[in-house]
Amino acid sequence: MLFETWFAFFLAACLIAISPGSGAVLSMSHGLSYGVRRTSATILGLELALVLILVIAGAGVGSLLVASEAAFNTIKFLGAAYLIYLGWSQWRAPVSVDQQQPARTALSTKWWQRAVTGFLTNATNPKGIVFMVAVLPQFIDHEQALWLQLLVMAVTMVTVDLVVMHGYAFAASRMQRFFRDAKAVKLQNRFFGGILMLVGVGLFFFKRSQH
């Protein structure tokens, strides 16, 4: 891959990562609830799904998914339903109060469950698949090894996304001192839960590109 091509992809990856979406909302929500270190498990799940989508799109399977209305709608409805479920769960989550520690949401804190949440959030997002299918071909040279180009793109995109998602989590975690009582944490849960549900509802209206 030429440096000019890689740099153009790097800029595209930065724009994709910075643009707010369900992954960014989840990173901020978990950053505020669990802190940056524990949110790293959530972000790990996001990145694994990102790599999966990139490979699927790069291998051409993504084009078939976008072309098939049934497959596309299945992914869309699963993704929308999952985000709504995730948002509703956070909206209704009980809050534990410790006089010595900031109040926290009583959600599961097992690292693998946070990783699965991150993975499913990105993996069931049809916007990610459509975007990858539209963007990747612009950077692929069919005269060079496909696997090597996908590897470079995956490393680039994951590195950028790791930095940005941890940045979102860090920014949110700095506000933990303001959430030392149950009422404040409930407001936080309803804010992020509401956004996730809105994003999920929005996916129901997301349509594949017509060619």
Side-chain angles (χ1 to χ4, degrees):
M1 177 179 287
L2 296 175
F3 175 78
E4 293 82 0
T5 304
W6 172 82
F7 188 70
F9 180 78
F10 169 74
L11 293 178
C14 289
L15 291 174
I16 297 169
I18 294 172
S19 60
S22 54
V25 173
L26 188 66
S27 295
M28 289 187 286
S29 174
H30 282 198
L32 187 53
S33 296
Y34 306 123
V36 178
R37 184 176 63 84
R38 289 185 175 184
T39 304
S40 292
T42 307
I43 297 173
L44 171 63
L46 291 172
E47 304 315 314
L48 289 175
L50 191 63
V51 171
L52 176 64
I53 293 173
L54 187 144
V55 171
I56 289 175
V61 179
S63 299
L64 296 176
L65 290 176
V66 174
S68 170
E69 184 172 1
F72 179 83
N73 285 335
T74 298
I75 294 175
K76 180 177 73 171
F77 286 117
L78 286 175
Y82 180 70
L83 286 178
I84 292 172
Y85 163 76
L86 200 62
W88 181 244
S89 296
Q90 182 152 357
W91 180 284
R92 298 179 63 253
V95 175
S96 61
V97 179
D98 186 333
Q99 297 300 323
Q100 304 301 319
Q101 297 291 335
R104 288 187 178 275
T105 301
L107 295 172
S108 174
T109 58
K110 293 182 179 178
W111 74 269
W112 63 268
Q113 290 179 313
R114 294 194 300 277
V116 169
T117 298
F119 179 85
L120 291 176
T121 298
N122 262 358
T124 58
N125 184 0
K127 287 186 178 181
I129 297 175
V130 171
F131 189 85
M132 288 291 187
V133 170
V135 169
L136 284 188
Q138 313 302 319
F139 301 97
I140 291 178
D141 184 348
H142 296 287
E143 295 182 0
Q144 298 183 24
L146 177 61
W147 71 268
L148 184 58
Q149 294 178 79
L150 290 178
L151 177 62
V152 172
M153 291 179 181
V155 171
T156 301
M157 181 163 280
V158 167
T159 300
V160 169
D161 205 61
L162 276 172
V163 173
V164 173
M165 291 304 111
H166 275 94
Y168 279 131
F170 176 78
S173 70
R174 295 300 88 189
M175 298 183 65
Q176 281 186 331
R177 65 181 181 276
F178 299 112
F179 293 88
R180 293 183 176 274
D181 62 83
K183 183 178 180 180
V185 176
K186 284 182 179 180
L187 288 175
Q188 167 221 318
N189 287 342
R190 292 185 175 182
F191 174 76
F192 285 109
I195 291 178
L196 285 172
M197 285 189 283
L198 285 175
V199 173
V201 171
L203 281 185
F204 280 117
F205 300 96
F206 181 69
K207 297 181 179 180
R208 60 199 178 105
S209 299
Q210 300 295 328
H211 299 286

